[in-house]
Structures are given as structure tokens and as C-alpha cells.
Amino acid sequence: EPEVTQTPSHQVTQMGQEVILRCVPISNHLYFYWYRQILGQKVEFLVSFYNNEISEKSEIFDDQFSVERPDGSNFTLKIRSTKLEDSAMYFCASRAGTSEPEQFFGPGTRLTVL
Amino acid sequence: GENVEQHPSTLSVQEGDSAVIKCTYSDSASNYFPWYKQELGKRPQLIIDIRSNVGEKKDQRIAVTLNKTAKHFSLHITETQPEDSAVYFCAASKALVGFQKLVFGTGTRLLVSP
């Protein structure tokens, strides 16, 4: 069964550094999402992406964040200058199409900002 | 915006007992309600979902009910087993219209004791 994959599984970085989190959504899915989960808390929406552009973003997704689909398979989340409070698990999700509302999550990338 | 409340935050049951987790949502336009199971350090896994045109859905030992008037939906697990132990998240979305985000509840930690 196809799955969403994410790399790396764990990223440790220094405050102020840039990080890029990578996701490979399920093939032929059309809608892509990033969520984050601070340890012990609920999953929070960051951004949704469709047809090569952002369709919605949350208040968390400020100018330090960007997303890109550089080719036909990868979907990336970049944090330009990481802060301590960016430490969280970041999940990518994908969805097949309008008539199929199910979102399938990747295994996550644990980001630790020191 | 949408807000989802989830109760209880923790639930301990004996193996074989039933477990019920309840959620309420604020946006009456929400039309899709998935439930995710998250084991420690793992991705959220979709276990069941319900659409707003249905009042109840069952899949083996799990069932979900929806009361649109009261804006409540619940997860019912019967004959619980130790492997059901995990954190369960409810979510609400307007996903049947476009590519809307999921708004998650705060999670319920279910512990099933042998």
C-alpha cells in the first residue's frame, strides 16, 4: 500500500539556521499539507498546497516558512531561521482529490532546535 | 475559525470493556469528521471517518456517531484490547468542499489494561 514518506526522521539544528524538511506524497495525490505537533500537544495545521501554490496557511506559517514542490514527487517545508519554539514533530499529509477527503500522514520529522 | 474540543484527555479501561471518546465542533459548515490513532512516536493513522450526511458508521469493533444538531461526534470502541492503547485524535473539516484543512481535537490517551 502506498505511503507518504518523509526525510529526515530527526533533524537537530542550531537556532537561526535554515532547515528543509522533505516529503514524498502518495503518487497521483493532488493536495498536500504540512502539520506540526509540539510534544504532548495536538496536531496543528500549517499550510495546504494545491496546483503549485499555497491554498491556505495558518497564523503559525509566518514569513520564516515556505513550501515548494520542486519536482513531480517532492514537497518541502523550509524554515529560514529556526527558533527554539519551532521544535516539534512536522507531519506531511496528502490527499487524492476533491471527492476523497481522507488525508494520509507521513511518519514525521522530529525537529530539535538548540 | 473551527474549534474542536475533545474529552476525556485520558481514559483507562480494562481489556474487554468499551471506550467512548467525545468531540464537539464549532463550525456548523464542517462536513467531514475523521478519527486518527497515534501510537508513541508514530504517524497519525486514520481509523474511521464519517461524513455529515451519515449519522453512524461502524467498522468491526469501532463505530462513530454524529449529531449535527448538537455538533457532537463520538468514537466507540468495543471489546477493547491492549493494542488499542494509543492517543486518539478527532478532527473536523469542510473537506467535502475543496481541500480544507483538518482541525484536530486535543487528543485522548487510551490505556487498556490486560
Side-chain angles (χ1 to χ4, degrees):
Chain A
E1 188 172 330
E3 288 188 328
V4 177
T5 60
Q6 288 184 244
T7 54
S9 57
H10 192 188
Q11 174 91 48
V12 181
T13 190
Q14 295 291 324
M15 190 169 56
Q17 294 297 304
E18 174 183 288
V19 294
I20 298 176
L21 310 183
R22 291 183 167 81
C23 168
V24 179
I26 295 172
S27 179
N28 297 323
H29 278 198
L30 298 177
Y31 305 130
F32 314 111
Y33 307 81
W34 283 100
Y35 293 85
R36 81 171 186 191
Q37 186 178 33
I38 295 171
L39 188 63
Q41 298 186 23
K42 66 178 176 181
V43 177
E44 300 175 286
F45 168 76
L46 291 178
V47 65
S48 57
F49 192 85
Y50 168 69
N51 202 25
N52 282 319
E53 57 183 36
I54 291 174
S55 46
E56 186 179 2
K57 58 184 180 180
S58 72
E59 293 174 352
I60 304 167
F61 194 89
D62 62 22
D63 292 344
Q64 294 300 313
F65 290 86
S66 62
V67 290
E68 194 177 35
R69 189 156 161 82
D71 53 44
S73 58
N74 290 284
F75 178 49
T76 63
L77 174 69
K78 182 194 291 187
I79 309 175
R80 262 180 276 280
S81 178
T82 50
K83 304 187 282 285
L84 295 176
E85 53 265 38
D86 292 329
S87 295
M89 181 75 94
Y90 288 80
F91 291 104
C92 171
S94 70
R95 172 183 165 181
T98 308
S99 61
E100 299 171 70
E102 300 86 353
Q103 289 188 26
F104 297 93
F105 282 73
T109 292
R110 179 165 297 285
L111 177 63
T112 302
V113 183
L114 303 177
Chain B
E2 174 70 280
N3 184 49
V4 178
E5 301 281 340
Q6 183 172 347
H7 299 280
S9 57
T10 58
L11 180 58
S12 294
V13 299
Q14 293 290 319
E15 183 176 1
D17 287 350
S18 294
V20 180
I21 303 170
K22 298 182 179 182
C23 290
T24 59
Y25 60 98
S26 61
D27 189 345
S28 56
S30 291
N31 51 32
Y32 174 67
F33 307 92
W35 286 88
Y36 286 84
K37 175 183 180 182
Q38 188 179 31
E39 297 176 17
L40 191 62
K42 301 286 184 64
R43 76 185 79 194
Q45 293 268 16
L46 179 69
I47 56 172
I48 195 167
D49 57 15
I50 191 167
R51 304 184 183 199
S52 57
N53 59 346
V54 175
E56 185 173 355
K57 183 177 178 181
K58 191 172 182 181
D59 183 4
Q60 300 183 347
R61 295 188 297 108
I62 59 174
V64 58
T65 58
L66 172 65
N67 182 331
K68 283 191 298 182
T69 304
K71 291 189 279 188
H72 288 174
F73 58 113
S74 300
L75 178 71
H76 305 252
I77 306 174
T78 58
E79 300 172 28
T80 53
Q81 301 167 2
E83 50 266 38
D84 293 329
S85 296
V87 179
Y88 291 80
F89 290 96
C90 63
S93 174
K94 289 176 273 196
L96 298 185
V97 182
F99 33 78
Q100 301 286 339
K101 63 182 182 285
L102 296 174
V103 178
F104 284 86
T106 47
T108 296
R109 183 173 302 279
L110 175 65
L111 177 62
V112 181
S113 303

